[in-house]
């Protein structure tokens, strides 16, 4: 059996072809036979804003819509600029840790911000 038909993630030999992708029924991993799967894995861990721009630690972002703060009557207004963000592992989708002037430390979802 050729290397193309073996799953690169789990090594299963039961992979099948679905149009231009190979699919592993054991781990549900999908890859193309041309070798583009290596670039896809790097993009999975990247944090992107609402417009698709890549975010990094220390960037400044702008909140794109009003966000209610859970457990408080405060609101983070759309257009608020947040400086010096820190990326973290997503807990409930909140993958940005930051401090907002007048509110304090909080976590944000990257889908509600755009890079400044």
């Amino acid at each position: 059996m050729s290397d193309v038909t073996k799953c690169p993630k789990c090594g299963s030999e039961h992979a099948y072809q679905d149009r231009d992708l190979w699919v592993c029924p054991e781990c549900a991993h999908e890859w193309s036979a041309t070798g583009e799967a290596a670039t896809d894995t790097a993009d999975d861990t990247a944090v992107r804003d609402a417009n698709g721009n890549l975010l990094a630690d220390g960037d400044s972002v702008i909140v794109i819509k009003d966000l209610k703060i859970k457990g408080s009557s405060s609101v983070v207004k759309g257009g608020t600029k947040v400086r010096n963000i820190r990326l973290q592992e997503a807990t409930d989708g909140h993958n940005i840790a930051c401090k907002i002037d007048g509110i304090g430390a909080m976590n944000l979802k990257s889908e509600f911000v755009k890079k400044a």
Side-chain angles (χ1 to χ4, degrees):
M1 187 170 264
S2 72
D3 290 339
V4 173
T5 58
K6 283 188 177 182
C7 177
K9 192 170 186 180
C10 70
S12 172
E13 296 180 356
H14 302 290
Y16 61 91
Q17 190 170 10
D18 184 21
R19 295 187 184 152
D20 60 342
L21 292 178
W22 285 90
V23 181
C24 177
E26 294 182 15
C27 69
H29 179 68
E30 297 179 350
W31 71 97
S32 74
T34 60
E36 297 173 4
T39 59
D40 293 341
T41 56
D43 292 338
D44 291 343
T45 59
V47 177
R48 299 190 179 272
D49 68 357
N51 296 330
N53 298 321
L54 192 62
L55 296 175
D57 286 341
D59 283 346
S60 294
V61 295
I62 298 173
V63 178
I64 60 173
K65 65 179 257 183
D66 290 353
L67 300 174
K68 295 180 183 177
I69 299 174
K70 189 174 183 178
S72 175
S73 61
S74 300
V75 175
V76 177
K77 296 284 187 180
T80 302
K81 188 171 186 177
V82 181
R83 293 179 182 90
N84 198 19
I85 65 169
R86 293 175 311 281
L87 302 179
Q88 62 184 9
E89 291 295 319
T91 55
D92 298 333
H94 296 87
N95 49 7
I96 297 175
C98 62
K99 289 184 182 177
I100 299 177
D101 294 336
I103 296 175
M106 65 182 309
N107 295 329
L108 298 172
K109 291 184 179 182
S110 61
E111 63 196 54
F112 298 121
V113 299
K114 67 178 180 178
K115 195 169 187 176

